[in-house]
Amino acid sequence: MRLFTSQHMRQADAMAAQLGFPSLLLMEAAGRAVAEWVLERFPGRPVAVLCGKGNNGGDGLVAARYLALAGVAVRVFAAEGPSGDAAQMQRALQAHGLELHPLEEWQPQPGEVIVDALFGTGLNRRLEAFWAELVGRINTSSCPVLAVDLPSGLPFEPCVRADWTVALAALKDEHLFYPWREACGRIVLMEIGMPQRSLFQPDLPELLTPQAMAALLPHRPGNAHKGSVGRVLIAGGYANYTGAPALAALGAHRAGAGLVSVAYPAGLELHLPLESVRHPQERWSPEGLSHVRAEAAAVGMGAGPQAELAAQAVLSRRIPTVLDADALQPGIVESYARAHTPTVITPHPGEAARLLESEVASITASPLEAARTLAERFEGVTVVLKGGPTVLARRREKGVELAVNTTGNPAMASGGMGDVLCGVIAALLAAGLEPWDAARLGVYLHGLSGDRRGQVGLLAHDLAEELPQARAALERGEVRAFWEWE
């Protein structure tokens, strides 16, 4: 499943037409899907459908027709001069005797459901004058609002603040990335019969789905033991930063590691899980870690000014490694890339800006491009750019492959969450997964655990404790994507 931009969605529509699937039929299917959702969610409620001139408005006109045929009290307000397929759908609506009112006449009525079909994808400037005022009226109406494909006005302000958005055929950037996603409300993806060949665009970012992630779960045979399911080395800690390596260790344990060893500067008091093996270091050196049994490592959590020494000591092991926090320095990442050591980096936007010698604002404004640039700069390194949502990238022969996580929520915005994530990914690396698979499954399980405990006040160790239950639910096929129609 892929994440589409407005441009790529138009290309998919054009390809569908080339394959022999008429655009008019797509509009009919889209409008009918919207009407069916309204009928199920709001049976018997009156509906006001607000339609623009283009295809989004055409979808709304079709929805109004089906709602009227189902006996719903529908008021239709439409812009003058509809174009293309929308003009034909307006005539089809009028053939059933429905009256169209000018948009300027619309005023909200108590108890009415509003269907926003003013503007869809591809808007290239912010709404002004009448359109901005109309959006303001919608947002202050106190009526439930359903947006067709996208809330009108996105990706700019002002925009409609919808309670629900029916995404048509595929999810778009605005459905996933904040702050746009907040305007969408609850998102429901509806199939509209578009030929799958037209939606097959493998160069677009992959959306992580429950089915695809469940297939990555490492199998544990009946004769498994702690040495056969993956051993993890955690290296970090400094002065007051003792919680970070402890949380990474907890994440690794709860993600299924058979044995977790924690290396840290001698003299620190670490409150590690009882099951962790302690390896205090008088100084960071390859010799100090040579006797630690591990198939994967995570380094940098709370390591402070000793991060480079710790990272170089771990690098001597030549095992798959997660670099995080203080280890996310350009020189350190480059040394791992040059050594061709399987490496996953997990920067937040501030750390990504440091790696790219850029500004945080540019990272948050274009996370997909930032992740792509990181993958291009550090060849062979798998990138996990944390955020809302988390974006993953890796460099391939034919370009950069991207993925976007679909789990997680704002309640996870608290200290230590990233440390737990590092332990999770390290455990999956130790279990034998390739870095790309370990990173994708790791961020998905991490976010899923956060979703299952998604109240504000969630702590990192709370999330870690939920990991076994989240994994079991994913394995049993009980996890549903957020966009599935309930």
Side-chain angles (χ1 to χ4, degrees), residues 12 51 84 106 120 139 234 284 364 383 386 409 464:
C51 304
W106 175 74
N139 290 341
I234 304 293
W284 291 109
T364 56
V383 177
K386 296 178 288 193
N409 62 84

Side-chain angles (χ1 to χ4, degrees), residues 119-157:
F119 299 95
T121 61
L123 197 65
N124 57 16
R125 63 182 184 276
R126 68 188 303 271
L127 299 179
E128 298 177 339
F130 166 74
W131 297 108
E133 185 272 332
L134 180 59
V135 164
R137 270 191 282 154
I138 294 172
N139 290 341
T140 58
S141 67
S142 299
C143 297
V145 178
L146 169 68
V148 177
D149 208 19
L150 278 183
S152 293
L154 286 183
F156 306 100
E157 290 282 359

Side-chain angles (χ1 to χ4, degrees), residues 330-351:
I332 296 175
V333 180
E334 286 169 358
S335 66
Y336 273 75
R338 286 194 303 270
H340 302 292
T341 296
T343 304
V344 178
I345 61 173
T346 57
H348 57 55
E351 292 159 343

Side-chain angles (χ1 to χ4, degrees), residues 13 60 74 120 136 240 273 294 324 329 359 370 376 381:
D13 291 341
V74 182
N240 294 329
D324 184 48
Q329 306 289 342
E359 299 293 330
E376 290 171 340
V381 171

Side-chain angles (χ1 to χ4, degrees), residues 30-42 47-50 56 59-60 63 67 112-119 138 141 143-152 160-168 183-190 485:
R32 183 170 188 169
V34 171
E36 288 174 350
W37 190 91
V38 173
L39 288 169
E40 179 165 320
R41 183 66 180 78
F42 295 103
V47 179
V49 184
L50 311 183
N56 197 249
D59 296 339
L67 289 169
E112 201 168 43
V113 177
I114 299 171
V115 174
D116 163 29
L118 297 171
F119 299 95
I138 294 172
S141 67
C143 297
V145 178
L146 169 68
V148 177
D149 208 19
L150 278 183
S152 293
V160 169
R161 300 287 169 177
D163 297 291
W164 295 269
T165 294
V166 172
L168 301 172
C184 296
R186 176 77 167 86
I187 298 166
V188 179
L189 177 61
M190 303 291 281
W485 191 2

Side-chain angles (χ1 to χ4, degrees), residues 453-465:
R453 293 273 194 106
Q455 299 87 4
V456 174
L458 178 70
L459 297 179
H461 70 264
D462 298 328
L463 182 145
E465 297 297 348

Side-chain angles (χ1 to χ4, degrees), residues 54-55 86 125 129 138 184 247 276 295 366 372 400 413 417 434 460 468:
N55 289 344
R125 63 182 184 276
I138 294 172
C184 296
L247 287 168
S276 298
E295 285 76 45
S366 303
R372 181 192 301 275
V400 174
M417 292 291 178
E434 294 297 319

